[in-house]
Amino acid sequence: MSDATLHATHQNPDDFAVQIADQIESFLVAVTEVAKGDEPDSAVPFLLLEVSQLLLAGGRLGAHEDIVPDERYEPDMGPEADVDELRENLARLLEPIDVYSEVFDPYEPRKAPVPARISDDLTDVITDLRHGMAHYRAGRTSEALWWWQFSYFSNWGSTASASLRALQSVVAHVRLNQPLAELDGLDTDQGIGDDTLEFEAGKVMAEEIGTPLGVRPLT
């Protein structure tokens, strides 16, 4: 189904909801599996694929007309599931390339880039998606779609897009044999200077990234 058909009056909304939920569930399962660290050699390209596929669902939600939930007030979902272990596992797995630089709003002038972490991004996205999935599994389809659409615009869309850009850059540097220099720069826990920003990039041509992509790692 193309995005151009999303506003058609004959479109069955249940079909759209099922497809979006399936894409989101696939992302949740896949990233959780990657975070276990069983296949570290393929983690970066696999995450690139999964985030790309998730953003297709986000684009469809963004192109859709505003979704209105059935209930005026959102039902209490209780406390959010803890994602600290997932965040820490991803940080260990992605340690050489976890920190990258991001510009939050490309249309806001004269804003300096800030350091961010792929591991933080992915767990933040997962938190948003799980919240909507809880509604979906409880049978509140319109509430789930509303939440996924709202949080796509307010948080997880831009967060996933930023992490996708970082992952794509890593894979591109490896495949094009263009190593990034190891920088002694800022981390996300440090302050940001007004003049210049250097960001900790790590050795992105490390063996666990370069070898499975067919590029000899740096020595």
Side-chain angles (χ1 to χ4, degrees), residues 2-217:
S2 69
D3 288 341
T5 68
L6 293 180
H7 296 276
T9 57
H10 65 275
Q11 185 71 36
N12 186 339
D14 291 337
D15 292 340
F16 176 68
V18 168
Q19 291 166 14
I20 295 296
D22 284 349
Q23 287 179 285
I24 288 174
E25 177 68 13
S26 176
F27 176 82
L28 294 174
V29 171
V31 175
T32 302
E33 287 299 312
V34 170
K36 293 179 181 179
D38 295 336
E39 298 183 17
D41 291 350
S42 59
V44 171
F46 193 69
L47 288 173
L48 173 66
L49 175 62
E50 291 301 322
V51 177
S52 298
Q53 292 177 333
L54 174 67
L55 283 170
L56 172 60
R60 295 181 67 191
L61 287 164
H64 201 286
E65 62 187 1
D66 288 349
I67 299 168
V68 180
D70 295 332
E71 301 180 33
R72 182 176 180 182
Y73 299 104
E74 182 183 8
D76 183 10
M77 300 301 299
E80 301 285 357
D82 185 20
V83 294
D84 285 346
E85 182 178 0
L86 179 64
R87 188 190 311 272
E88 292 167 2
N89 288 343
L90 285 170
R92 283 193 295 269
L93 185 65
L94 301 172
E95 191 275 333
I97 49 92
D98 196 20
V99 177
Y100 70 98
S101 61
E102 176 191 4
V103 177
F104 283 114
D105 189 345
Y107 286 101
E108 194 170 347
R110 294 180 296 280
K111 286 292 185 180
V114 297
R117 288 183 179 273
I118 299 173
S119 57
D120 288 342
D121 290 348
L122 294 178
T123 47
D124 287 349
V125 169
I126 283 175
T127 298
D128 277 346
L129 298 180
R130 281 179 175 175
H131 187 91
M133 187 59 71
H135 285 303
Y136 185 79
R137 289 172 177 164
R140 295 186 290 269
T141 302
S142 64
E143 189 76 42
L145 289 173
W146 171 83
W147 172 258
W148 285 328
Q149 186 185 60
F150 166 76
S151 57
Y152 169 76
F153 288 126
S154 63
N155 184 49
W156 74 259
S158 59
T159 302
S161 297
S163 63
L164 176 66
R165 182 70 183 91
L167 290 165
Q168 190 273 340
S169 179
V170 170
V171 174
H173 276 281
V174 173
R175 296 298 293 271
L176 298 175
N177 198 17
Q178 296 174 345
L180 292 174
E182 183 178 12
L183 301 178
D184 295 324
L186 298 177
D187 199 350
T188 55
D189 298 327
Q190 296 176 293
I192 301 173
D194 293 331
D195 297 325
T196 61
L197 293 175
E198 289 185 309
F199 303 97
E200 180 182 313
K203 297 178 180 178
V204 300
M205 301 292 284
E207 183 175 355
E208 65 270 20
I209 298 173
T211 299
L213 292 178
V215 178
R216 189 176 68 178

